[in-house]
Amino acid sequence: MKISVLGATGSIGLQTLDTVRSCLLGTNIVALSGYSNIKALASLVDEFKPEVVWVPDRDATTRLLELCEFSGEILTGEDGLISCATETNADIVVNALVGRAGLAPTLAAINAGKNIALANKETLVSAGELVMNIAREKGIRITPIDSEHSAIWQCLQGSSALPEKIILTASGGPFRGWGRERIAVASAQDALKHPNWDMGAKITIDSASLMNKGLELIEAMHLFAQPPEKIEILVHPQSIIHSMVQFCDGSVMAQMGLPDMRLPILYALSSPERVATNFPRLDFLNCGALTFEPPNLENFPCLSLAIHAAKTGGTLPAVMNFINEWAVNQFLQNKISFYNISEIIDKAFDIYNVRTVTSLNDIREAESWAAEFLERG
């Protein structure tokens, strides 16, 4: 198997390469991309010896060559990232990029006939219907890396029955159980203290606001061709049940395991086969009680906004995603407060005229509107 890893130095990228290293011997890494952590990328280049490497610019290229020995092709810029996703003989492109940058390489890889292992939420949130339609036309398989979507996918394996309901589980994030007044003054450092998962900064803040669960609802709609009304969100603080599917006879199937992202990554790369691992095992006698509760929509308005975007569809999820990405970055820099994230999105929703998505250009126009909205303040 030959794999390209986009976003190799991020949390999912590094765990993907660790999974390859420990479980998928004989796999060739043919392309790697990295953004700011050039030192980590150089180490990966020395280890995996890819054919192609992407870095953002010329300065990063110089830095990379100072830190490692590499005689292959180095690509830069947006066009270079697309080439990194398409112009190798990879069987699978792992898209572990963060944010809107993941959409164009995904579409390009699909059009180039590459199967996709997808961790980039924004691809399906912004353009899910477009992406899935093209993938179906091209006969391309998109396998989910998110633990929740991997769980749903695994529960559906071997069944011809349509799900009556999909149940997405959420940890509740670091602010679960906090009052609204306390959340209102929380810092970025508070929000980055996720109780169960080790993730990148952006997705961790989204988890704190429960926007992440709203994004996952939109992803699930497209991955499994289900309307938002058939997707329920439950807070499950232990993160042992990663998601569930209820069928028409009332039976419920759940996928369980320790909170370890290497498990969904491995299944995305190796399914339908199960590969033996030495990963830690779930011990039912010591994992404690498994509990569930509804999400608190009053304390976490980002989830309500995402549900509204899911039901509205069109270009609204793209606008929401763009503004959320910007606002999370502002919050991480301590420039706005936690609840300013949802307030800014809500304000945009009040004045935006939603359009139908027929092409990537429709998404770009929606993002341009969002950028202008943010500039106006």
Side-chain angles (χ1 to χ4, degrees):
M1 180 165 52
K2 297 178 180 179
I3 299 175
S4 296
V5 182
L6 308 183
T9 58
S11 174
I12 296 297
L14 290 172
Q15 290 180 87
T16 296
L17 293 168
D18 183 51
T19 302
V20 169
R21 190 184 290 120
S22 60
C23 303
L24 297 173
L25 302 180
T27 296
N28 291 327
I29 303 298
V30 296
L32 293 171
S33 84
Y35 189 75
S36 58
N37 194 344
I38 303 302
K39 183 177 180 180
L41 181 62
S43 177
L44 296 173
V45 169
D46 277 338
E47 178 182 0
F48 290 101
K49 298 178 173 50
E51 301 166 9
V52 175
V53 173
W54 181 90
V55 292
D57 51 36
R58 218 176 261 179
D59 289 343
T61 300
T62 301
R63 176 69 173 152
L64 180 72
L65 293 175
E66 289 172 348
L67 293 171
C68 70
E69 294 184 6
F70 182 62
S71 58
E73 186 177 12
I74 300 179
L75 302 168
T76 60
E78 184 176 352
D79 290 342
L81 187 58
I82 288 172
S83 296
C84 190
T86 59
E87 295 181 8
T88 69
N89 57 354
D91 305 302
I92 300 176
V93 174
V94 175
N95 188 340
L97 296 167
V98 175
R100 295 174 294 107
L103 175 56
T106 299
L107 284 170
I110 291 170
N111 281 312
K114 310 293 184 185
N115 289 321
I116 310 293
L118 187 62
N120 176 260
K121 294 180 181 300
E122 290 76 9
T123 290
L124 294 182
V125 170
S126 295
E129 186 174 359
L130 178 67
V131 170
M132 295 305 294
N133 283 342
I134 295 173
R136 280 188 286 269
E137 289 172 7
K138 299 283 185 180
I140 296 303
R141 190 168 88 144
I142 297 180
T143 55
I145 283 180
D146 265 358
S147 62
E148 294 83 359
H149 299 110
S150 178
I152 297 162
W153 181 40
Q154 292 179 60
C155 289
L156 291 170
Q157 295 294 307
S159 174
S160 59
L162 293 175
E164 182 176 86
K165 180 168 64 174
I166 286 172
I167 303 168
L168 277 172
T169 57
S171 70
F175 299 154
R176 173 182 163 268
W178 288 31
R180 188 177 174 90
E181 295 77 12
R182 186 182 176 193
I183 295 172
V185 296
S187 67
Q189 289 68 34
D190 294 326
L192 288 169
K193 296 174 183 175
H194 196 282
N196 298 337
W197 296 96
D198 180 15
M199 306 178 292
K202 197 271 183 182
I203 192 172
T204 304
I205 300 301
D206 282 345
S207 180
S209 70
L210 292 195
M211 173 60 84
N212 190 50
K213 208 51 50 178
L215 301 180
E216 288 175 3
L217 184 151
I218 298 172
E219 287 182 275
M221 287 171 51
H222 297 299
L223 281 168
F224 307 111
Q226 297 298 307
E229 293 78 14
K230 293 181 72 172
I231 303 172
E232 179 183 353
I233 295 171
L234 277 182
V235 174
H236 168 52
Q238 296 79 24
S239 295
I240 297 297
I241 295 177
H242 299 301
S243 277
M244 296 174 273
V245 174
Q246 180 173 298
F247 293 95
C248 61
D249 60 357
S251 64
V252 177
M253 293 190 70
Q255 190 269 331
M256 308 172 73
L258 293 173
D260 185 340
M261 280 305 302
R262 293 175 300 173
L263 289 169
I265 290 168
L266 179 59
Y267 196 70
L269 296 176
S270 64
S271 65
E273 302 299 323
R274 295 280 180 179
V275 176
T277 76
N278 60 0
F279 299 163
R281 267 41 179 179
L282 175 61
D283 182 349
F284 285 99
L285 296 180
N286 290 304
C287 70
L290 304 182
T291 62
F292 305 90
E293 61 195 60
N296 186 327
L297 298 180
E298 182 179 349
N299 284 3
F300 301 100
C302 276
L303 179 54
S304 292
L305 291 166
I307 292 170
H308 173 70
K311 292 179 177 179
T312 303
T315 51
L316 191 61
V319 167
M320 178 189 72
N321 181 69
F322 186 100
I323 295 172
N324 179 66
E325 192 172 320
W326 177 88
V328 166
N329 185 56
Q330 296 293 297
F331 176 63
L332 284 167
Q333 297 179 62
N334 300 311
K335 293 181 177 179
I336 64 173
S337 71
F338 185 75
Y339 280 128
N340 283 154
I341 298 172
S342 56
E343 290 164 358
I344 294 167
I345 296 169
D346 191 32
K347 182 180 176 183
F349 279 14
D350 283 343
I351 60 175
Y352 179 66
N353 293 316
V354 181
R355 297 184 179 181
T356 302
V357 176
T358 59
S359 69
L360 183 58
N361 189 55
D362 296 316
I363 303 299
R364 296 296 185 231
E365 288 181 358
E367 292 175 343
S368 295
W369 181 92
E372 292 172 5
F373 165 80
L374 291 170
E375 285 179 10
R376 294 194 302 268

PDB file of all heavy atoms in Angstrom, residues 12 41 48 61 103 114 142 159 163 172 192 272 274 314 318 340 375:
ATOM      1  N   ILE A  12      -3.178  14.296  13.985  1.00  0.00           N
ATOM      2  CA  ILE A  12      -3.652  13.126  13.239  1.00  0.00           C
ATOM      3  C   ILE A  12      -2.563  12.609  12.309  1.00  0.00           C
ATOM      4  O   ILE A  12      -2.381  11.392  12.153  1.00  0.00           O
ATOM      5  CB  ILE A  12      -4.935  13.453  12.454  1.00  0.00           C
ATOM      6  CG1 ILE A  12      -6.078  13.789  13.415  1.00  0.00           C
ATOM      7  CG2 ILE A  12      -5.328  12.276  11.557  1.00  0.00           C
ATOM      8  CD1 ILE A  12      -6.481  12.647  14.323  1.00  0.00           C
ATOM      9  N   LEU A  41       8.921  17.713  10.336  1.00  0.00           N
ATOM     10  CA  LEU A  41       8.779  17.204   8.973  1.00  0.00           C
ATOM     11  C   LEU A  41      10.105  16.636   8.476  1.00  0.00           C
ATOM     12  O   LEU A  41      10.122  15.573   7.831  1.00  0.00           O
ATOM     13  CB  LEU A  41       8.297  18.320   8.050  1.00  0.00           C
ATOM     14  CG  LEU A  41       8.080  17.930   6.584  1.00  0.00           C
ATOM     15  CD1 LEU A  41       6.992  16.870   6.463  1.00  0.00           C
ATOM     16  CD2 LEU A  41       7.730  19.160   5.744  1.00  0.00           C
ATOM     17  N   PHE A  48      10.914   8.184   6.461  1.00  0.00           N
ATOM     18  CA  PHE A  48      10.024   7.520   5.506  1.00  0.00           C
ATOM     19  C   PHE A  48      10.449   7.669   4.047  1.00  0.00           C
ATOM     20  O   PHE A  48       9.943   6.954   3.185  1.00  0.00           O
ATOM     21  CB  PHE A  48       8.588   8.027   5.683  1.00  0.00           C
ATOM     22  CG  PHE A  48       7.958   7.578   6.966  1.00  0.00           C
ATOM     23  CD1 PHE A  48       7.871   8.430   8.064  1.00  0.00           C
ATOM     24  CD2 PHE A  48       7.460   6.285   7.098  1.00  0.00           C
ATOM     25  CE1 PHE A  48       7.289   8.010   9.253  1.00  0.00           C
ATOM     26  CE2 PHE A  48       6.884   5.857   8.285  1.00  0.00           C
ATOM     27  CZ  PHE A  48       6.799   6.718   9.362  1.00  0.00           C
ATOM     28  N   THR A  61      11.371  25.631   2.477  1.00  0.00           N
ATOM     29  CA  THR A  61      12.168  24.706   1.665  1.00  0.00           C
ATOM     30  C   THR A  61      13.630  24.737   2.089  1.00  0.00           C
ATOM     31  O   THR A  61      14.275  23.696   2.281  1.00  0.00           O
ATOM     32  CB  THR A  61      12.053  25.077   0.174  1.00  0.00           C
ATOM     33  OG1 THR A  61      10.696  25.007  -0.233  1.00  0.00           O
ATOM     34  CG2 THR A  61      12.891  24.143  -0.683  1.00  0.00           C
ATOM     35  N   LEU A 103     -10.074  21.282   1.574  1.00  0.00           N
ATOM     36  CA  LEU A 103     -11.118  20.999   0.587  1.00  0.00           C
ATOM     37  C   LEU A 103     -10.567  20.804  -0.826  1.00  0.00           C
ATOM     38  O   LEU A 103     -10.852  19.788  -1.478  1.00  0.00           O
ATOM     39  CB  LEU A 103     -12.163  22.112   0.591  1.00  0.00           C
ATOM     40  CG  LEU A 103     -13.266  22.026  -0.480  1.00  0.00           C
ATOM     41  CD1 LEU A 103     -13.994  20.695  -0.404  1.00  0.00           C
ATOM     42  CD2 LEU A 103     -14.240  23.193  -0.327  1.00  0.00           C
ATOM     43  N   LYS A 114      -7.814   8.901  -6.501  1.00  0.00           N
ATOM     44  CA  LYS A 114      -7.241   8.447  -5.232  1.00  0.00           C
ATOM     45  C   LYS A 114      -8.342   8.225  -4.191  1.00  0.00           C
ATOM     46  O   LYS A 114      -9.227   9.066  -4.027  1.00  0.00           O
ATOM     47  CB  LYS A 114      -6.269   9.499  -4.671  1.00  0.00           C
ATOM     48  CG  LYS A 114      -5.229  10.015  -5.659  1.00  0.00           C
ATOM     49  CD  LYS A 114      -4.245   8.953  -6.063  1.00  0.00           C
ATOM     50  CE  LYS A 114      -3.163   9.530  -6.967  1.00  0.00           C
ATOM     51  NZ  LYS A 114      -2.251   8.477  -7.461  1.00  0.00           N
ATOM     52  N   ILE A 142     -14.312   7.017   0.296  1.00  0.00           N
ATOM     53  CA  ILE A 142     -13.922   7.965   1.346  1.00  0.00           C
ATOM     54  C   ILE A 142     -14.137   7.267   2.680  1.00  0.00           C
ATOM     55  O   ILE A 142     -15.264   6.927   3.045  1.00  0.00           O
ATOM     56  CB  ILE A 142     -14.744   9.266   1.270  1.00  0.00           C
ATOM     57  CG1 ILE A 142     -14.470   9.987  -0.052  1.00  0.00           C
ATOM     58  CG2 ILE A 142     -14.414  10.176   2.450  1.00  0.00           C
ATOM     59  CD1 ILE A 142     -15.231  11.282  -0.228  1.00  0.00           C
ATOM     60  N   SER A 159     -24.498  -4.728   7.015  1.00  0.00           N
ATOM     61  CA  SER A 159     -25.945  -4.583   7.139  1.00  0.00           C
ATOM     62  C   SER A 159     -26.505  -3.884   5.913  1.00  0.00           C
ATOM     63  O   SER A 159     -25.978  -2.862   5.479  1.00  0.00           O
ATOM     64  CB  SER A 159     -26.310  -3.779   8.388  1.00  0.00           C
ATOM     65  OG  SER A 159     -27.693  -3.515   8.429  1.00  0.00           O
ATOM     66  N   PRO A 163     -30.181   2.813   8.710  1.00  0.00           N
ATOM     67  CA  PRO A 163     -30.308   3.146  10.131  1.00  0.00           C
ATOM     68  C   PRO A 163     -31.584   3.925  10.414  1.00  0.00           C
ATOM     69  O   PRO A 163     -31.983   4.789   9.623  1.00  0.00           O
ATOM     70  CB  PRO A 163     -29.065   4.003  10.402  1.00  0.00           C
ATOM     71  CG  PRO A 163     -28.662   4.540   9.077  1.00  0.00           C
ATOM     72  CD  PRO A 163     -29.059   3.508   8.070  1.00  0.00           C
ATOM     73  N   GLY A 172     -18.304  16.055  25.846  1.00  0.00           N
ATOM     74  CA  GLY A 172     -18.752  17.222  26.600  1.00  0.00           C
ATOM     75  C   GLY A 172     -17.677  18.274  26.739  1.00  0.00           C
ATOM     76  O   GLY A 172     -17.956  19.419  27.086  1.00  0.00           O
ATOM     77  N   LEU A 192      -8.288  24.445  26.168  1.00  0.00           N
ATOM     78  CA  LEU A 192      -7.378  23.465  25.571  1.00  0.00           C
ATOM     79  C   LEU A 192      -7.149  22.238  26.449  1.00  0.00           C
ATOM     80  O   LEU A 192      -6.474  21.295  26.029  1.00  0.00           O
ATOM     81  CB  LEU A 192      -6.027  24.134  25.256  1.00  0.00           C
ATOM     82  CG  LEU A 192      -6.043  25.121  24.076  1.00  0.00           C
ATOM     83  CD1 LEU A 192      -4.742  25.912  24.023  1.00  0.00           C
ATOM     84  CD2 LEU A 192      -6.279  24.399  22.756  1.00  0.00           C
ATOM     85  N   PRO A 272     -11.646  -3.647   4.750  1.00  0.00           N
ATOM     86  CA  PRO A 272     -12.430  -4.300   5.814  1.00  0.00           C
ATOM     87  C   PRO A 272     -11.632  -5.257   6.688  1.00  0.00           C
ATOM     88  O   PRO A 272     -12.209  -5.925   7.533  1.00  0.00           O
ATOM     89  CB  PRO A 272     -13.494  -5.049   5.016  1.00  0.00           C
ATOM     90  CG  PRO A 272     -12.783  -5.434   3.753  1.00  0.00           C
ATOM     91  CD  PRO A 272     -11.874  -4.278   3.437  1.00  0.00           C
ATOM     92  N   ARG A 274      -9.069  -6.500   9.674  1.00  0.00           N
ATOM     93  CA  ARG A 274      -8.673  -6.097  11.023  1.00  0.00           C
ATOM     94  C   ARG A 274      -7.198  -6.462  11.199  1.00  0.00           C
ATOM     95  O   ARG A 274      -6.804  -7.609  10.988  1.00  0.00           O
ATOM     96  CB  ARG A 274      -9.505  -6.823  12.081  1.00  0.00           C
ATOM     97  CG  ARG A 274     -10.982  -6.471  12.068  1.00  0.00           C
ATOM     98  CD  ARG A 274     -11.244  -5.160  12.763  1.00  0.00           C
ATOM     99  NE  ARG A 274     -12.672  -4.814  12.747  1.00  0.00           N
ATOM    100  CZ  ARG A 274     -13.174  -3.734  13.293  1.00  0.00           C
ATOM    101  NH1 ARG A 274     -12.387  -2.881  13.916  1.00  0.00           N
ATOM    102  NH2 ARG A 274     -14.465  -3.496  13.224  1.00  0.00           N
ATOM    103  N   GLY A 314     -27.156  24.166   1.810  1.00  0.00           N
ATOM    104  CA  GLY A 314     -26.635  25.140   0.862  1.00  0.00           C
ATOM    105  C   GLY A 314     -25.261  25.632   1.284  1.00  0.00           C
ATOM    106  O   GLY A 314     -24.421  24.864   1.741  1.00  0.00           O
ATOM    107  N   ALA A 318     -20.727  26.436   4.926  1.00  0.00           N
ATOM    108  CA  ALA A 318     -19.430  26.980   4.522  1.00  0.00           C
ATOM    109  C   ALA A 318     -19.170  28.325   5.182  1.00  0.00           C
ATOM    110  O   ALA A 318     -18.047  28.623   5.630  1.00  0.00           O
ATOM    111  CB  ALA A 318     -19.363  27.111   2.999  1.00  0.00           C
ATOM    112  N   ASN A 340     -17.932  35.052  22.266  1.00  0.00           N
ATOM    113  CA  ASN A 340     -17.886  35.865  21.048  1.00  0.00           C
ATOM    114  C   ASN A 340     -17.894  34.985  19.800  1.00  0.00           C
ATOM    115  O   ASN A 340     -18.390  35.403  18.745  1.00  0.00           O
ATOM    116  CB  ASN A 340     -16.626  36.738  21.025  1.00  0.00           C
ATOM    117  CG  ASN A 340     -16.703  37.940  21.919  1.00  0.00           C
ATOM    118  OD1 ASN A 340     -15.670  38.450  22.366  1.00  0.00           O
ATOM    119  ND2 ASN A 340     -17.907  38.412  22.229  1.00  0.00           N
ATOM    120  N   GLU A 375     -14.373  41.516   7.976  1.00  0.00           N
ATOM    121  CA  GLU A 375     -13.642  42.775   7.809  1.00  0.00           C
ATOM    122  C   GLU A 375     -14.489  43.973   8.233  1.00  0.00           C
ATOM    123  O   GLU A 375     -13.987  44.942   8.818  1.00  0.00           O
ATOM    124  CB  GLU A 375     -13.207  42.937   6.341  1.00  0.00           C
ATOM    125  CG  GLU A 375     -12.039  42.039   5.950  1.00  0.00           C
ATOM    126  CD  GLU A 375     -11.682  42.215   4.491  1.00  0.00           C
ATOM    127  OE1 GLU A 375     -12.209  43.156   3.852  1.00  0.00           O
ATOM    128  OE2 GLU A 375     -10.878  41.409   3.989  1.00  0.00           O
TER     129      GLU A 375
END
